[in-house]
Amino acid sequence: MSHFYFHNQRIYYTEFGAGAPLLLLHGNTASSNLFAEIAQRYRKDFQVVLIDFLGHGKSDRLDEFPADLWFHQAEQVIAFLREKQYPKANIIGSSGGALVAVNIGLEAPELVNKVIADSFEGEKPIIALTENITEDREASKLDAETRMFYSSMHGSDWEQVVDNDTRAMIRHQKEIGGFFHKDLGSFQPDILLTGSLEDEFASALAPDYFEKVYGELLAKIGHGKMHLFDTGGHPALLTNQDGFYQLSLEFLTGKC
């Protein structure tokens, strides 16, 4: 296993394939295991890099996640990219990983080529979801399929990871409230926003949630595209894997 150090703590990563670097960034309560299948498809065209954020997967555990979780995770990736000295990297972030990807593009655009941000909330947390997060997470821990997912992501101490994430999300809404530190108008890399119209989180709020929120984001950024899949759940990257892979390949290679 490969690791790099961030603030004296070990972060797990693995890399394989050949070509321009492509980082796949996981979301909340997940790890790089989330990309086990689709990552193998990208290895034909890219040097694929998978990372477990601190406190997740095979990385060192944290007693507590920082409230500004997605910015802190972006700092981890920025440190990693600078240490590895890759040429400009492509980044695909899904769900919470999409927030990390946008933060990286805002904070260190010189390190980034193109960004795909998949199935995320927008600029701020969805209050209706955060208000119920404790109850929803407790219910999820009783569901056999979800427990299996958590275990496959983190191992036997998965419950600590899930609880840390829940508390961080609540603190973020109360103490911070916004996902990004810089104005979106300063975002420089090419960007593609993706999602599914049947995403169980977004569609519960409004049938056109992604269309509206992504449209507002792109207007502030001043460039970029969006693609919404008609079917599939959360995240689109996994529930529309064939279509997402083809779309992402065209975008990242400049054929979109």
Side-chain angles (χ1 to χ4, degrees):
M1 297 199 312
S2 299
H3 294 88
F4 77 99
Y5 284 84
F6 180 80
H7 296 173
N8 295 318
Q9 293 174 303
R10 296 187 311 162
I11 296 179
Y12 165 82
Y13 74 96
T14 185
E15 50 191 345
F16 49 85
L22 171 62
L23 277 69
L24 301 180
L25 304 181
H26 66 81
N28 295 63
T29 74
S31 73
S32 61
N33 282 346
L34 186 74
F35 305 115
E37 183 177 347
I38 196 169
Q40 298 303 318
R41 303 177 75 166
Y42 287 116
R43 71 183 304 161
K44 296 182 295 184
D45 298 282
F46 299 97
Q47 180 182 6
V48 179
V49 183
L50 303 179
I51 293 176
D52 289 342
F53 298 130
L54 277 177
H56 299 75
K58 299 182 181 71
S59 292
D60 282 352
R61 293 293 184 256
L62 299 173
D63 293 333
E64 181 181 53
F65 288 178
D68 207 356
L69 179 62
W70 302 277
F71 185 82
H72 186 257
Q73 291 171 342
E75 290 182 314
Q76 296 170 38
V77 178
I78 291 169
F80 171 77
L81 291 173
R82 287 177 173 157
E83 179 176 310
K84 297 291 289 186
Q85 297 185 332
Y86 292 127
K88 281 193 171 187
N90 298 297
I91 302 176
I92 299 177
S94 190
S95 193
L99 302 175
V100 179
V102 174
N103 268 311
I104 297 166
L106 285 169
E107 299 297 326
E110 73 279 2
L111 302 176
V112 182
N113 182 32
K114 296 185 178 183
V115 169
I116 300 178
D118 175 54
S119 302
F120 69 106
E121 298 168 72
E123 288 185 83
K124 297 180 179 180
I126 300 172
I127 295 177
L129 296 180
T130 309
E131 286 179 338
N132 298 316
I133 190 67
T134 300
E135 293 79 6
D136 291 345
R137 288 283 173 78
E138 288 302 313
S140 77
K141 290 192 288 185
L142 300 176
D143 179 77
E145 185 174 344
T146 308
R147 287 170 63 93
M148 187 177 299
F149 170 80
Y150 290 150
S151 179
S152 70
M153 294 293 112
H154 309 292
S156 60
D157 65 344
W158 61 264
E159 191 166 2
Q160 175 195 354
V161 180
V162 174
D163 290 346
N164 277 344
D165 185 80
T166 301
R167 288 190 288 267
M169 291 182 68
I170 293 170
R171 288 177 55 219
H172 180 275
Q173 181 180 306
K174 291 179 179 179
E175 300 172 15
I176 300 172
F179 293 131
F180 313 123
H181 287 204
K182 291 186 176 179
D183 188 281
L184 287 169
S186 67
F187 190 90
Q188 298 177 25
D190 290 342
I191 187 166
L192 172 65
L193 309 182
T194 60
S196 167
L197 295 176
E198 294 181 348
D199 185 297
E200 55 267 34
F201 300 109
S203 62
L205 299 168
D208 62 345
Y209 180 84
F210 280 140
E211 185 175 9
K212 179 180 178 181
V213 170
Y214 284 2
E216 292 173 352
L217 288 173
L218 292 175
K220 291 181 179 181
I221 292 171
H223 62 271
K225 301 176 182 179
M226 82 168 83
H227 181 92
L228 302 178
F229 296 93
D230 291 332
T231 60
H234 182 89
L237 178 149
L238 297 183
T239 59
N240 289 280
Q241 188 172 135
D242 290 341
F244 184 94
Y245 171 72
Q246 188 58 43
L247 175 71
S248 62
L249 194 64
E250 292 171 354
F251 173 73
L252 295 173
T253 58
K255 299 176 183 177
C256 181

